Amino acid sequence: MPLDQSEYRPPAVSSSPAASPVLDPRTRRLLEAPIARTLLRLAWPNVAVMVAQASTGLIETFWVSRLGTHALAGMALVFPGFMMMQMLSAGAMGGGISSAIARALGGGRREEANALVLHAMVINLALGAVFSVLVLAFGPALYRALGGEGGSLGAALRYSNVVFAGTWLVWLMNALASAIRGTGNMLVPSATICAGVALLVPLSPCLIFGIGPLPALGMTGAGLAVIGTTVVTICVLGWYLLSGRSLVRLGRARLRWKAFADILRVGAVASVSTLQTNLTVALTTALVGAAAGSGAIAGYGTGARLEYLLVPLVFGLGAPLVALVATNIGAGQRARALRIALTGGGIAFLLTEAVGLAAAIWPRAWLGLFGEDPAMIAAGTAYLRGVGPAYGFFGLGLALYFASQGAGKLLWPLVAGMLRLLIAVGGGWIALRLTGSLGWVFVALSAALVTYGVLVFAAVASGVWFRSACSTGAEAAKMARTNLKEAAS
C-alpha cells in the first residue's frame, strides 16, 4: 500500500474531559473508575499471561537441563537475546502501540485507533525481520564473546538458529496483542497466550526427546516448539481483530508517516531502555564467564532468569498502566494519570520485593529445579543472596517506566537505565579486578537496581511529565506532594 504523507492528526492532549466526544463505556471506565480496583482488575489476567509467556523459557530450560550442563549453559547464552526480543516486541514497541491506540481512544478518535493497528503490524514485522537477520549472522560471534565454547556453544547455536529464524512471528504476535491491550482489554490476549503456553508443555518434550514417529531433535526441537505455539497464537489474535469483536479492528488503511511516528516516538525510545536492561545481563554474563567458566555461567544465568521473570510479572501491571495513563492523558486528566502511575509503582514494589526476599532466603528452591552441579549452585546462590533483596526497586522503576510510556515521557527512565548499566557493569568489572570475587560483582548489580528504582520514582513523583505546565519548581513540588498523599490513601 502506498505511503500517504497527507495530514494525520496524532492524539493530542485535550484541555478537559468534557471536550471529548461520546466515549465507549469501556474507555469511560478507564477515566472514571476507582484507580486501585481498576488497575488490579485489568492486571490480573495480564499478570497471568506474562507469567505464562515467561514460562516458555522456564519450560524449555526444565527439559533442556535433562540434556546436561552444556545444554543448560547454551540456554543461558541465548536467553538474554531471546528475552530482549520479547521485551522489545511486547514491552517497548508493544507499549508504543498500546499507548498510541489508548490516547486515540481517550480522545474519541476511533478511526485513527483502527488505522494504528495496521501500522503496528508493519513496524513489528519489519523490526522482527531485522532482528532475525542480525542474530543469525552474528550469533556465533556473540555467544563466543559471552563465554560460549565447545558443547555449550554448539547447544546455543542449535537452539538460537531455530528460534531467531522465526522471531518475526513473535514480533507479529506481540503487535496484535498490544493493539488489543491498548483498548483496555487484557483478558483476550491473556487467555490466548496462556493457551499457547499450555500447548508448549507437551509439545516441547515431544520434540526434544522424540515420541512415536517424531525423532529426538534436542535443542532444535526446543526451538521448533516455541515457534509452533507462536503461530497458533497469531491465528487466534488475528481472527479476533478481524471479527469486529474488539474495540479496534484490523482492516485496510492508508499507511501514513505520522501514524508510524506516533507509535515510534514512544516505542523507539522505550527500545533503548530495553536494550540497556539486556546489555547489563549480557555483559555481566561475560564477566562471570571470564572469572569462573561455564558452570558459573549456568548458575548466574539460572539465577538471573528469576530476575527476568520480574519483567513479565511487572508487565502484567505495566500494560494496564500504559492504557490507563495514556487514556487519562488523552482526555486531559493529568493528576489522575500521575496517581495511577504511583499506585502501580507501589504495587509492583511489593510484589517483586516479596519474590526477591524469598529467593535470597531459599535460593536452592529455585536453582534445584534446573540441576545440582556444584559450580552452578554456588554461583546462583551468590547471585540470589546478593541481588534478590533489591528486586523491589527494579519492580518499582520498571512499573513507572511503563507508566511513562503511557505519558509519552521516557527521558528519566532512560537516564536511570544508563546509570544502572554503568554501575552494574563498570562497578562489577572493578570489583572483579580488585577482589576476584563474584560476590562483589553481585553487590554492584544490587546497587544498580536500587539506583534505577529510586531515580525513576523521584522523577515521576516530582511531576516531571508535566513540568512544562508548571511555572515554578515550587508548583512542581506541590504537585508531587499532593499526588503522593493521594496515592498512599
Side-chain angles (χ1 to χ4, degrees):
M1 283 176 280
L3 286 169
D4 179 8
Q5 300 187 52
S6 62
E7 181 64 22
Y8 169 83
R9 297 189 307 275
V13 177
S14 65
S15 60
S16 70
S20 299
V22 177
L23 300 175
D24 183 271
R26 287 170 287 187
T27 301
R28 189 162 294 283
R29 282 195 294 270
L30 302 184
L31 298 173
E32 299 175 356
I35 291 173
R37 188 169 64 192
T38 302
L39 180 58
L40 292 174
R41 178 178 60 82
L42 293 175
W44 77 260
N46 217 43
V47 169
V49 71
M50 297 316 298
V51 170
Q53 198 167 25
S55 297
T56 299
L58 292 179
I59 293 167
E60 295 287 87
T61 302
F62 176 81
W63 293 116
V64 165
S65 67
R66 273 52 187 171
L67 298 175
T69 301
H70 284 308
L72 189 60
M75 284 288 287
L77 293 171
V78 177
F79 193 70
F82 183 74
M83 279 303 296
M84 180 173 67
M85 179 267 300
Q86 288 274 27
M87 292 165 65
L88 284 171
S89 59
M93 295 308 306
I97 293 164
S98 296
S99 178
I101 289 174
R103 288 196 305 275
L105 292 173
R109 296 176 294 276
R110 190 164 177 178
E111 288 303 315
E112 291 181 8
N114 289 338
L116 286 166
V117 177
L118 181 60
H119 289 79
M121 292 178 60
V122 172
I123 289 171
N124 271 26
L125 281 171
L127 291 175
V130 170
F131 209 99
S132 291
V133 171
L134 289 176
V135 176
L136 290 175
F138 300 106
L142 172 63
Y143 301 139
R144 289 190 188 95
L146 293 177
E149 58 183 9
S152 64
L153 178 61
L157 290 174
R158 285 192 294 276
Y159 181 71
S160 175
N161 287 342
V162 174
V163 167
F164 286 105
T167 194
W168 60 274
L169 292 167
V170 178
W171 282 78
L172 176 59
M173 177 190 73
N174 284 322
L176 300 176
S178 297
I180 298 170
R181 291 189 189 107
T183 70
N185 183 342
M186 308 295 158
L187 185 58
V188 168
S190 298
T192 305
I193 295 174
C194 282
V197 173
L199 177 61
L200 182 69
V201 174
L203 182 61
S204 186
C206 289
L207 294 178
I208 292 173
F209 304 109
I211 184 172
L214 296 176
L217 300 175
M219 296 294 284
T220 300
L224 288 173
V226 172
I227 298 304
T229 55
T230 300
V231 171
V232 174
T233 305
I234 288 171
C235 292
V236 177
L237 293 175
W239 168 82
Y240 182 75
L241 283 167
L242 288 167
S243 68
R245 289 170 169 81
S246 174
L247 189 56
V248 292
R249 184 170 185 173
L250 172 62
R252 294 174 60 88
R254 192 178 296 275
L255 298 181
R256 298 171 177 171
W257 288 115
K258 290 185 179 180
F260 287 124
D262 193 44
I263 295 173
L264 291 172
R265 71 186 182 89
V266 173
V269 177
S271 297
V272 176
S273 181
T274 299
L275 291 171
Q276 290 170 339
T277 298
N278 287 274
L279 187 59
T280 300
V281 175
L283 293 178
T284 306
T285 301
L287 282 177
V288 171
S294 63
I297 290 178
Y300 168 66
T302 304
R305 195 172 293 262
L306 185 60
E307 180 182 330
Y308 265 120
L309 272 179
L310 300 181
V311 176
L313 175 63
V314 176
F315 184 77
L317 283 166
L321 280 173
V322 171
L324 280 163
V325 169
T327 303
N328 279 271
I329 288 180
Q333 300 185 167
R334 291 176 165 182
R336 177 178 166 87
L338 187 53
R339 290 197 299 275
I340 290 168
L342 297 178
T343 301
I347 294 172
F349 177 86
L350 293 175
L351 288 175
T352 52
E353 185 66 10
V355 172
L357 291 176
I361 296 170
W362 301 291
R364 289 186 70 99
W366 172 258
L367 300 170
L369 296 173
F370 305 100
E372 295 294 336
D373 180 78
M376 186 273 282
I377 294 292
T381 298
Y383 166 79
L384 290 174
R385 287 180 174 165
V387 183
Y391 277 1
F393 294 92
F394 180 51
L396 171 64
L398 192 59
L400 293 177
Y401 152 79
F402 284 117
S404 297
Q405 282 187 312
K409 305 289 185 179
L410 287 167
L411 175 61
W412 281 102
L414 194 65
V415 170
M418 182 58 68
L419 281 177
R420 179 195 171 194
L421 175 62
L422 292 175
I423 294 170
V425 178
W429 180 82
I430 292 171
L432 194 60
R433 294 275 296 185
L434 293 178
T435 68
S437 168
L438 288 180
W440 285 103
V441 173
F442 299 145
V443 169
L445 294 182
S446 181
L449 290 182
V450 172
T451 301
Y452 173 72
V454 169
L455 183 57
V456 178
F457 172 78
V460 172
S462 74
V464 71
W465 291 348
F466 317 120
R467 184 61 54 79
S468 61
C470 298
S471 58
T472 66
E475 191 174 342
K478 181 179 179 181
M479 177 189 289
R481 289 193 299 270
T482 299
N483 285 284
L484 281 171
K485 290 177 181 178
E486 292 179 354
S489 63

mmCIF file of all heavy atoms in Angstrom, residues 58-89:
data_model
loop_
_atom_site.group_PDB
_atom_site.id
_atom_site.type_symbol
_atom_site.label_atom_id
_atom_site.label_comp_id
_atom_site.label_asym_id
_atom_site.label_seq_id
_atom_site.Cartn_x
_atom_site.Cartn_y
_atom_site.Cartn_z
ATOM 1 N N LEU A 58 11.089 -21.051 30.918
ATOM 2 C CA LEU A 58 11.286 -21.973 32.037
ATOM 3 C C LEU A 58 10.996 -23.414 31.629
ATOM 4 O O LEU A 58 11.720 -24.335 32.021
ATOM 5 C CB LEU A 58 10.379 -21.571 33.197
ATOM 6 C CG LEU A 58 10.705 -20.259 33.900
ATOM 7 C CD1 LEU A 58 9.704 -19.982 34.999
ATOM 8 C CD2 LEU A 58 12.112 -20.306 34.460
ATOM 9 N N ILE A 59 9.918 -23.603 30.870
ATOM 10 C CA ILE A 59 9.582 -24.949 30.409
ATOM 11 C C ILE A 59 10.714 -25.509 29.549
ATOM 12 O O ILE A 59 11.157 -26.657 29.713
ATOM 13 C CB ILE A 59 8.257 -24.933 29.632
ATOM 14 C CG1 ILE A 59 7.103 -24.597 30.581
ATOM 15 C CG2 ILE A 59 8.002 -26.274 28.940
ATOM 16 C CD1 ILE A 59 5.810 -24.246 29.863
ATOM 17 N N GLU A 60 11.185 -24.660 28.619
ATOM 18 C CA GLU A 60 12.291 -25.085 27.768
ATOM 19 C C GLU A 60 13.529 -25.407 28.604
ATOM 20 O O GLU A 60 14.198 -26.420 28.388
ATOM 21 C CB GLU A 60 12.622 -23.977 26.767
ATOM 22 C CG GLU A 60 11.519 -23.678 25.780
ATOM 23 C CD GLU A 60 11.379 -24.774 24.740
ATOM 24 O OE1 GLU A 60 10.649 -25.744 25.000
ATOM 25 O OE2 GLU A 60 11.999 -24.669 23.679
ATOM 26 N N THR A 61 13.843 -24.556 29.582
ATOM 27 C CA THR A 61 15.023 -24.767 30.409
ATOM 28 C C THR A 61 14.903 -26.048 31.229
ATOM 29 O O THR A 61 15.878 -26.791 31.396
ATOM 30 C CB THR A 61 15.245 -23.565 31.347
ATOM 31 O OG1 THR A 61 15.383 -22.389 30.551
ATOM 32 C CG2 THR A 61 16.500 -23.741 32.184
ATOM 33 N N PHE A 62 13.706 -26.305 31.751
ATOM 34 C CA PHE A 62 13.494 -27.516 32.542
ATOM 35 C C PHE A 62 13.819 -28.769 31.729
ATOM 36 O O PHE A 62 14.543 -29.660 32.175
ATOM 37 C CB PHE A 62 12.049 -27.562 33.040
ATOM 38 C CG PHE A 62 11.706 -28.820 33.798
ATOM 39 C CD1 PHE A 62 12.054 -28.957 35.120
ATOM 40 C CD2 PHE A 62 11.040 -29.862 33.168
ATOM 41 C CE1 PHE A 62 11.742 -30.122 35.816
ATOM 42 C CE2 PHE A 62 10.735 -31.028 33.845
ATOM 43 C CZ PHE A 62 11.074 -31.158 35.179
ATOM 44 N N TRP A 63 13.279 -28.821 30.505
ATOM 45 C CA TRP A 63 13.518 -30.007 29.682
ATOM 46 C C TRP A 63 14.951 -30.050 29.150
ATOM 47 O O TRP A 63 15.581 -31.111 29.112
ATOM 48 C CB TRP A 63 12.523 -30.066 28.519
ATOM 49 C CG TRP A 63 11.107 -30.293 28.943
ATOM 50 C CD1 TRP A 63 10.057 -29.445 28.780
ATOM 51 C CD2 TRP A 63 10.580 -31.452 29.595
ATOM 52 N NE1 TRP A 63 8.905 -29.987 29.293
ATOM 53 C CE2 TRP A 63 9.205 -31.232 29.806
ATOM 54 C CE3 TRP A 63 11.145 -32.658 30.023
ATOM 55 C CZ2 TRP A 63 8.371 -32.156 30.423
ATOM 56 C CZ3 TRP A 63 10.318 -33.585 30.653
ATOM 57 C CH2 TRP A 63 8.960 -33.334 30.846
ATOM 58 N N VAL A 64 15.477 -28.889 28.760
ATOM 59 C CA VAL A 64 16.838 -28.858 28.230
ATOM 60 C C VAL A 64 17.852 -29.238 29.288
ATOM 61 O O VAL A 64 18.892 -29.839 28.987
ATOM 62 C CB VAL A 64 17.135 -27.442 27.661
ATOM 63 C CG1 VAL A 64 18.628 -27.228 27.439
ATOM 64 C CG2 VAL A 64 16.396 -27.246 26.339
ATOM 65 N N SER A 65 17.572 -28.911 30.561
ATOM 66 C CA SER A 65 18.518 -29.265 31.634
ATOM 67 C C SER A 65 18.729 -30.771 31.699
ATOM 68 O O SER A 65 19.771 -31.229 32.183
ATOM 69 C CB SER A 65 18.016 -28.738 32.976
ATOM 70 O OG SER A 65 16.830 -29.406 33.390
ATOM 71 N N ARG A 66 17.773 -31.547 31.202
ATOM 72 C CA ARG A 66 17.910 -33.013 31.172
ATOM 73 C C ARG A 66 18.923 -33.460 30.126
ATOM 74 O O ARG A 66 19.339 -34.624 30.125
ATOM 75 C CB ARG A 66 16.563 -33.667 30.889
ATOM 76 C CG ARG A 66 15.675 -33.947 32.104
ATOM 77 C CD ARG A 66 15.468 -32.772 32.970
ATOM 78 N NE ARG A 66 14.753 -33.097 34.205
ATOM 79 C CZ ARG A 66 14.606 -32.250 35.204
ATOM 80 N NH1 ARG A 66 15.128 -31.021 35.124
ATOM 81 N NH2 ARG A 66 13.959 -32.579 36.293
ATOM 82 N N LEU A 67 19.321 -32.522 29.247
ATOM 83 C CA LEU A 67 20.340 -32.850 28.245
ATOM 84 C C LEU A 67 21.762 -32.629 28.762
ATOM 85 O O LEU A 67 22.724 -32.939 28.065
ATOM 86 C CB LEU A 67 20.119 -32.010 26.985
ATOM 87 C CG LEU A 67 18.785 -32.215 26.249
ATOM 88 C CD1 LEU A 67 18.667 -31.229 25.095
ATOM 89 C CD2 LEU A 67 18.655 -33.651 25.751
ATOM 90 N N GLY A 68 21.908 -32.054 29.967
ATOM 91 C CA GLY A 68 23.236 -31.870 30.551
ATOM 92 C C GLY A 68 23.600 -30.411 30.791
ATOM 93 O O GLY A 68 22.895 -29.487 30.374
ATOM 94 N N THR A 69 24.748 -30.222 31.475
ATOM 95 C CA THR A 69 25.196 -28.876 31.847
ATOM 96 C C THR A 69 25.542 -28.028 30.625
ATOM 97 O O THR A 69 25.296 -26.822 30.604
ATOM 98 C CB THR A 69 26.418 -28.959 32.780
ATOM 99 O OG1 THR A 69 26.051 -29.695 33.950
ATOM 100 C CG2 THR A 69 26.890 -27.574 33.203
ATOM 101 N N HIS A 70 26.129 -28.637 29.584
ATOM 102 C CA HIS A 70 26.457 -27.873 28.376
ATOM 103 C C HIS A 70 25.196 -27.294 27.736
ATOM 104 O O HIS A 70 25.186 -26.137 27.278
ATOM 105 C CB HIS A 70 27.199 -28.743 27.372
ATOM 106 C CG HIS A 70 28.630 -28.990 27.721
ATOM 107 N ND1 HIS A 70 29.511 -27.973 28.020
ATOM 108 C CD2 HIS A 70 29.352 -30.138 27.822
ATOM 109 C CE1 HIS A 70 30.707 -28.472 28.293
ATOM 110 N NE2 HIS A 70 30.633 -29.793 28.180
ATOM 111 N N ALA A 71 24.129 -28.099 27.698
ATOM 112 C CA ALA A 71 22.872 -27.616 27.122
ATOM 113 C C ALA A 71 22.299 -26.485 27.974
ATOM 114 O O ALA A 71 21.795 -25.485 27.444
ATOM 115 C CB ALA A 71 21.870 -28.764 27.015
ATOM 116 N N LEU A 72 22.383 -26.625 29.305
ATOM 117 C CA LEU A 72 21.882 -25.585 30.191
ATOM 118 C C LEU A 72 22.679 -24.296 30.025
ATOM 119 O O LEU A 72 22.116 -23.196 29.995
ATOM 120 C CB LEU A 72 21.943 -26.066 31.643
ATOM 121 C CG LEU A 72 21.267 -25.186 32.696
ATOM 122 C CD1 LEU A 72 19.782 -25.032 32.393
ATOM 123 C CD2 LEU A 72 21.474 -25.782 34.085
ATOM 124 N N ALA A 73 24.012 -24.419 29.901
ATOM 125 C CA ALA A 73 24.844 -23.237 29.668
ATOM 126 C C ALA A 73 24.521 -22.606 28.315
ATOM 127 O O ALA A 73 24.533 -21.385 28.166
ATOM 128 C CB ALA A 73 26.325 -23.607 29.740
ATOM 129 N N GLY A 74 24.232 -23.450 27.308
ATOM 130 C CA GLY A 74 23.851 -22.925 25.995
ATOM 131 C C GLY A 74 22.574 -22.105 26.057
ATOM 132 O O GLY A 74 22.471 -21.040 25.452
ATOM 133 N N MET A 75 21.599 -22.583 26.845
ATOM 134 C CA MET A 75 20.371 -21.821 27.030
ATOM 135 C C MET A 75 20.653 -20.487 27.714
ATOM 136 O O MET A 75 20.055 -19.460 27.388
ATOM 137 C CB MET A 75 19.379 -22.621 27.869
ATOM 138 C CG MET A 75 18.684 -23.739 27.103
ATOM 139 S SD MET A 75 17.470 -23.136 25.895
ATOM 140 C CE MET A 75 16.159 -22.605 26.983
ATOM 141 N N ALA A 76 21.579 -20.489 28.692
ATOM 142 C CA ALA A 76 21.926 -19.249 29.397
ATOM 143 C C ALA A 76 22.547 -18.231 28.444
ATOM 144 O O ALA A 76 22.366 -17.018 28.610
ATOM 145 C CB ALA A 76 22.888 -19.550 30.544
ATOM 146 N N LEU A 77 23.278 -18.710 27.441
ATOM 147 C CA LEU A 77 23.875 -17.795 26.466
ATOM 148 C C LEU A 77 22.824 -17.180 25.545
ATOM 149 O O LEU A 77 22.908 -15.998 25.175
ATOM 150 C CB LEU A 77 24.916 -18.548 25.621
ATOM 151 C CG LEU A 77 26.173 -19.019 26.352
ATOM 152 C CD1 LEU A 77 26.989 -19.939 25.444
ATOM 153 C CD2 LEU A 77 27.013 -17.835 26.795
ATOM 154 N N VAL A 78 21.815 -17.952 25.163
ATOM 155 C CA VAL A 78 20.794 -17.480 24.235
ATOM 156 C C VAL A 78 19.719 -16.657 24.938
ATOM 157 O O VAL A 78 19.159 -15.725 24.361
ATOM 158 C CB VAL A 78 20.134 -18.674 23.507
ATOM 159 C CG1 VAL A 78 19.014 -18.214 22.574
ATOM 160 C CG2 VAL A 78 21.178 -19.452 22.716
ATOM 161 N N PHE A 79 19.466 -16.982 26.202
ATOM 162 C CA PHE A 79 18.315 -16.406 26.896
ATOM 163 C C PHE A 79 18.308 -14.885 26.941
ATOM 164 O O PHE A 79 17.249 -14.279 26.728
ATOM 165 C CB PHE A 79 18.232 -16.989 28.314
ATOM 166 C CG PHE A 79 16.925 -16.701 28.987
ATOM 167 C CD1 PHE A 79 15.754 -17.306 28.557
ATOM 168 C CD2 PHE A 79 16.867 -15.830 30.065
ATOM 169 C CE1 PHE A 79 14.540 -17.032 29.175
ATOM 170 C CE2 PHE A 79 15.654 -15.558 30.693
ATOM 171 C CZ PHE A 79 14.490 -16.165 30.247
ATOM 172 N N PRO A 80 19.436 -14.189 27.214
ATOM 173 C CA PRO A 80 19.368 -12.718 27.215
ATOM 174 C C PRO A 80 18.882 -12.140 25.884
ATOM 175 O O PRO A 80 18.069 -11.216 25.862
ATOM 176 C CB PRO A 80 20.817 -12.302 27.523
ATOM 177 C CG PRO A 80 21.381 -13.439 28.289
ATOM 178 C CD PRO A 80 20.758 -14.669 27.669
ATOM 179 N N GLY A 81 19.367 -12.690 24.766
ATOM 180 C CA GLY A 81 18.936 -12.200 23.463
ATOM 181 C C GLY A 81 17.473 -12.498 23.186
ATOM 182 O O GLY A 81 16.746 -11.663 22.634
ATOM 183 N N PHE A 82 17.015 -13.695 23.577
ATOM 184 C CA PHE A 82 15.625 -14.059 23.360
ATOM 185 C C PHE A 82 14.700 -13.189 24.201
ATOM 186 O O PHE A 82 13.661 -12.710 23.733
ATOM 187 C CB PHE A 82 15.411 -15.540 23.684
ATOM 188 C CG PHE A 82 14.008 -16.020 23.413
ATOM 189 C CD1 PHE A 82 13.576 -16.226 22.115
ATOM 190 C CD2 PHE A 82 13.126 -16.248 24.456
ATOM 191 C CE1 PHE A 82 12.277 -16.656 21.857
ATOM 192 C CE2 PHE A 82 11.837 -16.676 24.209
ATOM 193 C CZ PHE A 82 11.413 -16.888 22.912
ATOM 194 N N MET A 83 15.082 -12.960 25.469
ATOM 195 C CA MET A 83 14.261 -12.113 26.324
ATOM 196 C C MET A 83 14.287 -10.667 25.842
ATOM 197 O O MET A 83 13.293 -9.952 25.956
ATOM 198 C CB MET A 83 14.746 -12.205 27.766
ATOM 199 C CG MET A 83 14.249 -13.434 28.509
ATOM 200 S SD MET A 83 12.440 -13.596 28.549
ATOM 201 C CE MET A 83 11.989 -12.141 29.484
ATOM 202 N N MET A 84 15.429 -10.217 25.321
ATOM 203 C CA MET A 84 15.485 -8.873 24.775
ATOM 204 C C MET A 84 14.494 -8.725 23.623
ATOM 205 O O MET A 84 13.791 -7.711 23.516
ATOM 206 C CB MET A 84 16.897 -8.529 24.304
ATOM 207 C CG MET A 84 17.015 -7.125 23.725
ATOM 208 S SD MET A 84 18.708 -6.642 23.366
ATOM 209 C CE MET A 84 19.097 -7.761 22.027
ATOM 210 N N MET A 85 14.432 -9.746 22.773
ATOM 211 C CA MET A 85 13.478 -9.716 21.668
ATOM 212 C C MET A 85 12.043 -9.676 22.190
ATOM 213 O O MET A 85 11.209 -8.921 21.693
ATOM 214 C CB MET A 85 13.717 -10.939 20.775
ATOM 215 C CG MET A 85 12.794 -11.061 19.597
ATOM 216 S SD MET A 85 11.330 -12.077 19.963
ATOM 217 C CE MET A 85 12.086 -13.640 20.379
ATOM 218 N N GLN A 86 11.751 -10.472 23.223
ATOM 219 C CA GLN A 86 10.413 -10.457 23.809
ATOM 220 C C GLN A 86 10.094 -9.097 24.418
ATOM 221 O O GLN A 86 8.999 -8.550 24.253
ATOM 222 C CB GLN A 86 10.317 -11.537 24.909
ATOM 223 C CG GLN A 86 10.278 -12.954 24.393
ATOM 224 C CD GLN A 86 8.870 -13.402 24.046
ATOM 225 O OE1 GLN A 86 8.014 -12.591 23.717
ATOM 226 N NE2 GLN A 86 8.628 -14.692 24.102
ATOM 227 N N MET A 87 11.066 -8.531 25.139
ATOM 228 C CA MET A 87 10.854 -7.245 25.799
ATOM 229 C C MET A 87 10.711 -6.108 24.791
ATOM 230 O O MET A 87 9.922 -5.187 24.975
ATOM 231 C CB MET A 87 11.998 -6.974 26.776
ATOM 232 C CG MET A 87 12.009 -7.905 27.982
ATOM 233 S SD MET A 87 13.576 -7.869 28.879
ATOM 234 C CE MET A 87 13.582 -6.178 29.495
ATOM 235 N N LEU A 88 11.493 -6.171 23.711
ATOM 236 C CA LEU A 88 11.379 -5.141 22.678
ATOM 237 C C LEU A 88 10.028 -5.193 21.987
ATOM 238 O O LEU A 88 9.368 -4.172 21.785
ATOM 239 C CB LEU A 88 12.496 -5.307 21.649
ATOM 240 C CG LEU A 88 13.898 -4.846 22.040
ATOM 241 C CD1 LEU A 88 14.909 -5.299 20.993
ATOM 242 C CD2 LEU A 88 13.946 -3.332 22.207
ATOM 243 N N SER A 89 9.597 -6.401 21.629
ATOM 244 C CA SER A 89 8.373 -6.528 20.847
ATOM 245 C C SER A 89 7.119 -6.350 21.696
ATOM 246 O O SER A 89 6.131 -5.763 21.240
ATOM 247 C CB SER A 89 8.335 -7.879 20.126
ATOM 248 O OG SER A 89 8.406 -8.952 21.046
#
